[in-house]
Amino acid sequence: MCIFCKIANKEIPSKVVFEDEHVIAFHDVNPQAPTHVLVIPKRHIAGIAQAAPEDEAVLGRLLLAARQVAEKTGIAEGGFRTVVNSGANAGQTVFHLHVHVIGGRPMAWPPG
């Protein structure tokens, strides 16, 4: 079982920001900004490239939950970034689909 599945199953503690029956959002342990929260589906999906048509509802739920996280953490009004890394070459290090919600400081484009 992957580390994010263990967090979703409450086997590993996390600082939860938002949770419903389909997703859970928690603070990143290695934040890249003052606010850095990860939103994951509770059901294991390795990444966006592995998502199937039957995952459509949970994919939409991830983005709506990201908005709720931004509102709850106070970064919605000033702006925030959502990021989904897909695969090792894109920087994905935990192979459980997750949306980074990042904010609390100005960000440039392109990132990095």
Side-chain angles (χ1 to χ4, degrees):
M1 183 178 294
C2 83
I3 191 167
F4 285 179
C5 285
K6 290 179 181 180
I7 290 171
N9 290 328
K10 307 287 173 82
E11 296 171 28
I12 295 175
S14 64
K15 189 174 173 189
V16 174
V17 175
F18 174 83
E19 182 175 11
D20 68 17
E21 64 183 298
H22 302 290
V23 303
I24 186 169
F26 52 92
H27 285 274
D28 194 303
V29 296
N30 185 28
Q32 302 301 303
T35 299
H36 188 165
V37 175
L38 304 176
V39 185
I40 68 167
K42 288 185 173 180
R43 185 173 51 79
H44 185 84
I45 302 170
I48 197 75
Q50 291 75 30
E54 58 269 17
D55 298 320
E56 181 178 1
V58 76
L59 295 176
R61 187 69 201 113
L62 286 170
L63 291 180
L64 291 174
R67 185 206 66 197
Q68 289 177 286
V69 164
E71 290 171 352
K72 284 185 171 227
T73 58
I75 61 172
E77 188 173 313
F80 60 97
R81 180 171 288 166
T82 56
V83 177
V84 178
N85 298 318
S86 184
N89 284 345
Q92 186 177 6
T93 57
V94 177
F95 292 89
H96 183 122
L97 177 62
H98 54 286
V99 176
H100 297 259
V101 180
I102 305 168
R105 66 169 170 81
M107 292 181 217
W109 191 260

